[in-house]
Amino acid sequence: MASVAPSTHPSVAIYGEPVWDLALLHPAQGKWSHEEYLSLTDSTNWLIEYTAGHIEVLPMPTIEHQLILKFLFHALDAFVERQKLGMVLFAPTRVYVDPDNYREPDLVFNFTENHAKSGKRYYQSADLVMEIVSDDAESHSRDWEQKPLDYAQGGIPEYWIVDPQEKKITVLALEGKAYVQHGVFGEGETATSKLLAGFSVNVTDVFQAAK
């Protein structure tokens, strides 16, 4: 039986090959506008962040990550609801940092007046954000090195870095245009907020929630 040469017609895809034509429907990296980013994230359930024309698809969170997120959300939401302070939301919730930067924190809190200022698509900045650090090097660098710069640039008063690998919670408070450490809290200690007087969580309980 004679062999048949594979088609070289560009419209015929090779089995197992990515659908490159779909990629051509979107801008190249560095060419994305903020409206194109918003339209993309309006239509997907992916965690995607935007920086200076580039988009970054974030890794799917683990069960451990989500259990810690659940614990922190319930703790913060209960505190906020009890005092009628504002609104607590979880990812994916887009937060505008500056014209070239949108982030999707794991948890985001806004006081009532700031919640009311934002439209339906994304928050105009935030009052407090939390990130739970994933165990890959890229996520570690993003949450520990890049996001403190971004969130400070956006004027977000408080940033919590919750690190399951190091079993510690670092609370950063904005002073001027940069963050300073409000506290670094390990197991057996209680992590506190500078912004929300009276809000605290037991660090051991936070990481035990992932078990």
Side-chain angles (χ1 to χ4, degrees), residues 65-191:
H65 178 286
Q66 295 300 83
L67 288 171
I68 293 172
L69 175 59
K70 177 183 176 183
F71 180 95
L72 289 169
F73 171 76
H74 283 307
L76 182 57
D77 189 58
F79 178 86
V80 167
E81 284 289 322
R82 193 161 53 245
Q83 301 197 40
K84 302 187 184 307
L85 296 175
M87 182 65 65
V88 182
L89 295 176
F90 44 83
T93 300
R94 296 168 297 198
V95 174
Y96 170 96
V97 176
D98 62 46
D100 282 333
N101 202 330
Y102 286 79
R103 291 298 191 181
E104 294 194 12
D106 287 316
L107 278 181
V108 53
F109 162 75
N110 266 314
F111 286 111
T112 300
E113 57 270 28
N114 291 331
H115 170 72
K117 288 178 184 176
S118 293
K120 295 181 178 180
R121 299 177 81 188
Y122 57 88
Y123 265 141
Q124 292 278 1
S125 193
D127 290 307
L128 182 152
V129 295
M130 294 186 184
E131 298 284 7
I132 302 164
V133 184
S134 297
D135 59 6
D136 62 286
E138 188 174 353
S139 294
H140 188 277
S141 175
R142 183 189 305 112
D143 291 344
W144 277 102
E145 299 171 21
Q146 186 58 47
K147 288 193 175 180
L149 300 176
D150 294 340
Y151 291 147
Q153 173 72 23
I156 296 174
E158 190 161 295
Y159 172 33
W160 287 46
I161 306 173
V162 181
D163 195 325
Q165 288 72 54
E166 299 188 18
K167 295 290 192 295
K168 70 180 182 182
I169 296 174
T170 300
V171 179
L172 303 178
L174 194 64
E175 288 192 5
K177 295 184 178 180
Y179 284 122
V180 297
Q181 285 187 357
H182 167 66
V184 179
F185 307 96
E187 289 191 293
E189 297 179 316
T190 299

Side-chain angles (χ1 to χ4, degrees), residues 2-41:
S3 62
V4 179
S7 171
T8 58
H9 193 282
S11 66
V12 178
I14 300 172
Y15 179 76
E17 182 180 17
V19 186
W20 301 113
D21 288 349
L22 288 180
L24 298 177
L25 297 175
H26 299 294
Q29 285 285 41
K31 301 295 184 180
W32 286 78
S33 70
H34 78 101
E35 185 57 40
E36 287 165 334
Y37 158 75
L38 290 172
S39 295
L40 175 66
T41 48

